[in-house]
């Protein structure tokens, strides 16, 4: 029997048998090994995305695993190959796709939200979504490739350059990944985060952190930059105060990269944008080159995956893991172990 974690209604998850059918033309069947729980998954769990998510919904899009079967017309892939999945399916006909922006297709199927995700023991996906993993990369660490690809895309959208000063507002998993990717690009980075646990973890990764509850962040930036302000700020907190901080720290012609999802409109200091000729850029998802760079960063240790993984739980304990993440505390990234030894899944 193959099991899946399913969202059925607000704050309700279950584990139930999942249907398995042979992969069709252009498809592959995967044995997911590890699946990360992210902020979007929590939004679904809270019921915030019920207008979009059809229940029962199998969650999960941060994953690693191995191919079990390949369907007709699939070339270049074989059972046993280690892979992750870029969970995007686009129509290639809408104006966004026609302009070359398939990753933000106007009719995008985000696999794991709009269609069944990876938190199950068998998963069938289009072969076009596969990203190859090095055999030397442990599959638990490889589950961090997808959020790292988000960070790579964010840093690219902000056009971070060597020697620039960067502030990341929000030190959760994506915020820390952005800081690490920006540092790998040669930037001088500071992370602004309220949680002492998250600050300590970021500092273990070699990052410098500031606590906005006990320090005047704009004043620290003035001292750090000689009153110039930062070149780039990333808003990853999702809070109104985080938006204010990200705008306040920017210098002349600074770039604000909006990463967090803000479900309601926020007030923003537009006079600051006018006065300093600031630029606001949005950053959503990723493309294949972002994923390939993310694989390299996780594989070579630039991303300290072991440090970021707080806990690994079996698939049957996934509902409790969602509650643990919701409560906050000393938790960064929880992985769900989907391996099914009874079916011979290679992990």
């Amino acid at each position: 029997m193959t099991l899946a974690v399913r969202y059925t209604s607000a704050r309700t998850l279950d584990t139930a048998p999942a249907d398995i059918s042979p992969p069709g033309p252009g498809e592959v069947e995967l044995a997911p090994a590890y699946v990360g729980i992210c902020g979007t998954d929590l939004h679904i769990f809270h019921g915030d995305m019920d207008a979009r998510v059809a229940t029962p919904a199998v969650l999960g899009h941060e994953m690693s695993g191995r191919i079990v079967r390949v369907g007709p017309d699939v070339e270049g892939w074989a059972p046993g190959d280690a892979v992750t999945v870029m969970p995007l399916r686009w129509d290639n006909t809408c104006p966004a796709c026609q302009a070359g922006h398939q990753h933000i297709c106007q009719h995008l199927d985000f696999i794991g939200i709009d269609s069944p995700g990876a938190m199950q023991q068998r998963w069938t996906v289009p072969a076009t979504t596969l990203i190859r993993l090095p055999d030397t990369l442990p599959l638990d660490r490889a589950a961090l490739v997808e959020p790292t690809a988000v960070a790579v895309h964010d840093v690219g959208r902000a056009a971070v350059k060597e020697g620039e000063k960067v502030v990341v507002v929000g030190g959760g998993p994506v915020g820390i990944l952005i800081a690490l990717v920006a540092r790998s690009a040669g930037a001088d980075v500071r992370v602004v985060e309220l949680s002492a646990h998250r600050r300590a973890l970021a500092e273990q990764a070699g990052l410098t952190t500031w606590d906005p509850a006990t320090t005047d962040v704009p004043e620290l930036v003035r001292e750090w930059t000689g009153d110039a302000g930062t070149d780039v700020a990333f808003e990853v907190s999702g809070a109104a105060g985080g938006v204010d901080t990200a705008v306040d720290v920017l210098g002349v012609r600074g770039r604000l990269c909006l990463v967090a999802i803000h479900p309601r409109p926020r007030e923003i200091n537009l006079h600051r944008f006018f006065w300093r000729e600031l630029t606001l850029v949005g950053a959503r998802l990723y493309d294949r080159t972002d994923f390939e760079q993310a694989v390299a960063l996780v594989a070579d240790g630039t991303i300290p995956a072991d440090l970021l993984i707080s806990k690994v739980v079996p698939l049957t304990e996934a509902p409790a893991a969602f509650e643990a993440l919701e409560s906050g505390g000393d938790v960064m990234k929880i992985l769900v172990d989907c391996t099914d030894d009874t079916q011979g899944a290679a992990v």
Side-chain angles (χ1 to χ4, degrees):
M1 179 178 66
T2 295
L3 293 177
V5 176
R6 308 184 311 167
Y7 168 77
T8 57
S9 62
R11 301 187 54 75
T12 304
L13 299 172
D14 66 15
T15 54
D19 294 330
I20 302 177
S21 56
E27 294 181 332
V28 296
E29 180 184 324
L30 305 180
Y34 298 95
V35 180
I37 304 172
C38 79
T40 301
D41 297 321
L42 284 177
H43 282 301
I44 296 172
F45 176 63
H46 293 153
D48 297 337
M49 299 176 67
D50 282 358
R52 178 176 173 185
V53 175
T55 55
V58 180
L59 304 184
H61 56 270
E62 302 180 359
M63 66 80 62
S64 63
R66 293 189 184 274
I67 295 174
V68 175
R69 290 188 286 181
V70 299
D73 305 323
V74 173
E75 297 181 355
W77 298 101
D81 286 348
V83 298
T84 186
V85 166
M86 184 174 73
L88 308 180
R89 186 188 287 117
W90 49 80
D91 65 14
N92 238 3
T93 62
C94 74
C97 288
Q98 291 297 299
H101 308 307
Q102 288 90 343
H103 71 291
I104 46 175
C105 170
Q106 289 165 231
H107 308 108
L108 185 68
D109 172 6
F110 192 109
I111 304 171
I113 299 176
D114 305 306
S115 56
M119 213 169 286
Q120 53 185 320
Q121 292 168 327
R122 291 293 186 272
W123 190 35
T124 298
V125 297
T128 54
T129 66
L130 298 180
I131 305 289
R132 192 177 300 277
L133 296 172
D135 289 334
T136 55
L137 178 59
L139 291 182
D140 56 349
R141 299 179 192 177
L144 269 69
V145 166
E146 192 273 352
T148 301
V150 171
V152 170
H153 186 76
D154 298 340
V155 170
R157 283 287 291 153
V160 173
K161 296 184 283 294
E162 184 174 359
E164 290 193 315
K165 288 183 165 55
V166 172
V167 165
V168 179
V169 182
V174 172
I176 289 179
L177 289 170
I178 289 171
L180 292 168
V181 173
R183 185 178 68 179
S184 75
D188 190 3
V189 184
R190 300 292 184 270
V191 177
V192 177
E193 170 57 46
L194 284 166
S195 163
H197 172 72
R198 288 179 169 182
R199 289 197 309 276
L201 190 147
E203 288 164 6
Q204 288 181 56
L207 298 166
T208 300
T209 68
W210 290 332
D211 180 0
T214 60
T215 57
D216 183 337
V217 172
E219 180 58 32
L220 289 174
V221 168
R222 281 190 287 273
E223 295 172 2
W224 175 40
T225 65
D227 202 30
T230 66
D231 302 288
V232 180
F234 291 91
E235 201 313 275
V236 201
S237 72
V243 175
D244 292 341
T245 298
V247 173
D248 288 346
V249 300
L250 286 169
V252 170
R253 292 207 167 181
R255 289 105 64 198
L256 170 59
C257 185
L258 182 62
V259 178
I261 297 173
H262 290 261
R264 60 183 61 86
R266 300 289 193 195
E267 289 189 5
I268 190 166
N269 186 351
L270 290 179
H271 183 268
R272 185 83 163 188
F273 273 77
F274 158 75
W275 199 252
R276 293 202 164 187
E277 293 195 351
L278 305 181
T279 298
L280 171 64
V281 295
R284 177 187 171 203
L285 300 176
Y286 28 62
D287 59 25
R288 182 167 288 273
T289 58
D290 297 323
F291 251 85
E292 291 168 348
Q293 184 178 344
V295 170
L297 291 171
V298 175
D300 70 11
T302 299
I303 302 301
D306 286 353
L307 181 64
L308 299 177
I309 297 169
S310 304
K311 184 186 301 185
V312 179
V313 302
L315 184 145
T316 52
E317 294 181 16
F322 274 75
E323 294 177 2
L325 276 172
E326 181 184 38
S327 66
D330 296 347
V331 178
M332 181 62 68
K333 176 63 67 177
I334 295 180
L335 302 185
V336 176
D337 182 346
C338 295
T339 55
D340 177 15
D341 293 336
T342 65
Q343 298 197 37
V347 298

